[in-house]
Amino acid sequence: MILRILYILLWCSMCCSVSAQTPDTAVVRKQMPSNSLKKAASKLSKSLGEDKTDEQIAADYETLAGELAGKGEYAKAEEYLQRARDIYTRLGNKRKLAAVNRESAKLREQQQDFAGAVKYYEEAVRASDNRGDRQLNLNDADRLRNRSNPEAQSKLIESNIQLLDEKQAPREEKSAAYRQLAETNLQMKQSEAAIDNYEKALSNVSDKQSEVVEIKKEMSKVYIAEKQYDKALDINMEVVQKAREMKDVKTEIGGLQSLSHIYFIDDRADKGMETLM
């Protein structure tokens, strides 16, 4: 009983510590953008100041939008995608216009604006002159219309994975599709299939360590729900290690809290206390 109380007090203390640091962390992030974001902004600045083609400038707008979206700055990301969209519309470049509309749909989906996402997926269908790309976007629009039907969603996602394989799409797109499939597996209480698809998502993540961490955290939740605590512990240790490599203090503390929580529910409260010390 005493260990239980101490565990709760320590866990709450660490939560407060993270909360207290969060505003400062946000300020630091705004003041010190990532290297990739700096490079994208610098490249765009040079493009605008040099004698570059409109298509090159639009491509730089897309790159910067992608970096901003990765930082959760969705409004700014959409602003730059719109600038790219305007250029491609003026140039009559349907292939690029379809690609920008697809990216806008993904942004809306990340913000839970499903109606907006469907609209952009449909615009991507109309703009595309490639049969495979049209089907890909049509499937995604239908997937969002069927959010309450995981079985229908899973079939659409599987179709998309096949299409992505055929067009040799970037690995990040395949990773996202496997994560979507894992989520539908969980809705249908197919834990083993979900883990398998999370593993496939991991194998398709390139060098984005933050995505690796997010996928591993999702896998940990599945293992905990299935009471496979040793596997959950192993994967959370990997999360903590990755966070340390990335110098991401918030994720590291969250990972340590998760480790302690797993030890506690597995009746190893002393080990859980040790983790928080």
Side-chain angles (χ1 to χ4, degrees):
M1 184 65 181
I2 293 173
L3 279 175
R4 184 187 296 266
I5 294 169
L6 286 172
Y7 166 82
I8 293 169
L9 288 173
L10 270 173
W11 193 89
C12 290
S13 174
M14 289 185 75
C15 286
C16 291
S17 175
V18 173
S19 299
Q21 291 175 24
T22 301
D24 292 337
T25 304
V27 170
V28 170
R29 282 181 180 166
K30 286 186 178 180
Q31 291 175 342
M32 300 176 63
S34 68
N35 288 335
S36 56
L37 182 54
K38 284 181 183 176
K39 286 178 183 176
S42 175
K43 188 178 178 184
L44 175 58
S45 179
K46 287 179 181 177
S47 295
L48 295 172
E50 295 174 358
D51 187 20
K52 286 205 172 185
T53 66
D54 285 347
E55 283 204 354
Q56 288 173 318
I57 292 171
D60 288 343
Y61 279 139
E62 289 183 80
T63 300
L64 183 55
E67 293 296 334
L68 289 165
K71 299 294 178 186
E73 297 189 43
Y74 300 118
K76 287 183 182 178
E78 288 203 47
E79 179 186 332
Y80 285 110
L81 282 179
Q82 184 58 52
R83 293 184 189 185
R85 183 181 293 107
D86 291 341
I87 292 173
Y88 293 137
T89 300
R90 178 161 47 79
L91 295 174
N93 190 328
K94 289 189 173 182
R95 183 177 65 84
K96 288 287 190 178
L97 183 58
V100 168
N101 285 334
R102 180 168 176 78
E103 289 307 309
S104 291
K106 291 177 186 176
L107 277 184
R108 292 302 179 96
E109 191 171 350
Q110 286 177 307
Q111 298 172 81
Q112 307 292 300
D113 178 7
F114 300 118
V118 167
K119 175 191 148 194
Y120 276 119
Y121 280 129
E122 288 176 337
E123 287 187 13
V125 172
R126 288 191 289 270
S128 180
D129 55 7
N130 177 279
R131 184 182 61 83
D133 288 343
R134 282 199 301 270
Q135 189 61 53
L136 192 69
N137 287 297
L138 186 60
N139 285 349
D140 276 322
D142 286 342
R143 172 177 59 81
L144 292 182
R145 290 193 190 95
N146 283 278
R147 292 195 311 282
S148 61
N149 186 343
E151 187 174 351
Q153 280 190 312
S154 66
K155 289 177 182 176
L156 291 162
I157 297 166
E158 286 167 356
S159 172
N160 272 2
I161 290 170
Q162 185 176 345
L163 289 167
L164 291 168
D165 278 335
E166 288 171 3
K167 67 178 285 193
Q168 297 183 319
R171 292 171 63 192
E172 288 79 6
E173 279 223 60
K174 287 180 66 177
S175 178
Y178 278 119
R179 286 180 75 176
Q180 290 170 353
L181 191 54
E183 288 165 11
T184 62
N185 292 144
L186 292 175
Q187 289 180 56
M188 294 186 285
K189 303 190 185 306
Q190 299 170 346
S191 300
E192 191 173 334
I195 289 294
D196 183 51
N197 283 313
Y198 278 132
E199 291 284 5
K200 289 175 182 175
L202 276 176
S203 69
N204 281 284
V205 173
S206 52
D207 58 348
K208 292 188 178 178
Q209 295 305 308
S210 58
E211 286 190 23
V212 171
V213 167
E214 289 306 311
I215 294 170
K216 285 182 180 291
K217 283 160 70 174
E218 291 304 314
M219 292 173 72
S220 172
K221 291 177 186 175
V222 180
Y223 284 133
I224 292 171
E226 292 298 305
K227 297 184 178 180
Q228 297 184 45
Y229 300 127
D230 286 339
K231 289 182 178 180
L233 286 167
D234 286 344
I235 211 159
N236 268 282
M237 287 174 185
E238 291 173 11
V239 167
V240 171
Q241 183 58 39
K242 284 284 183 189
R244 286 172 178 164
E245 291 170 8
M246 295 160 55
K247 298 188 181 346
D248 185 340
V249 177
K250 185 176 179 181
T251 298
E252 180 184 349
I253 292 175
L256 290 170
Q257 288 175 343
S258 295
L259 278 172
S260 182
H261 173 66
I262 297 164
Y263 280 126
F264 186 73
I265 59 178
D266 195 29
D267 291 328
R268 289 189 270 175
D270 54 341
K271 192 72 176 172
M273 292 287 296
E274 184 183 321
T275 304
L276 291 176
M277 294 297 190

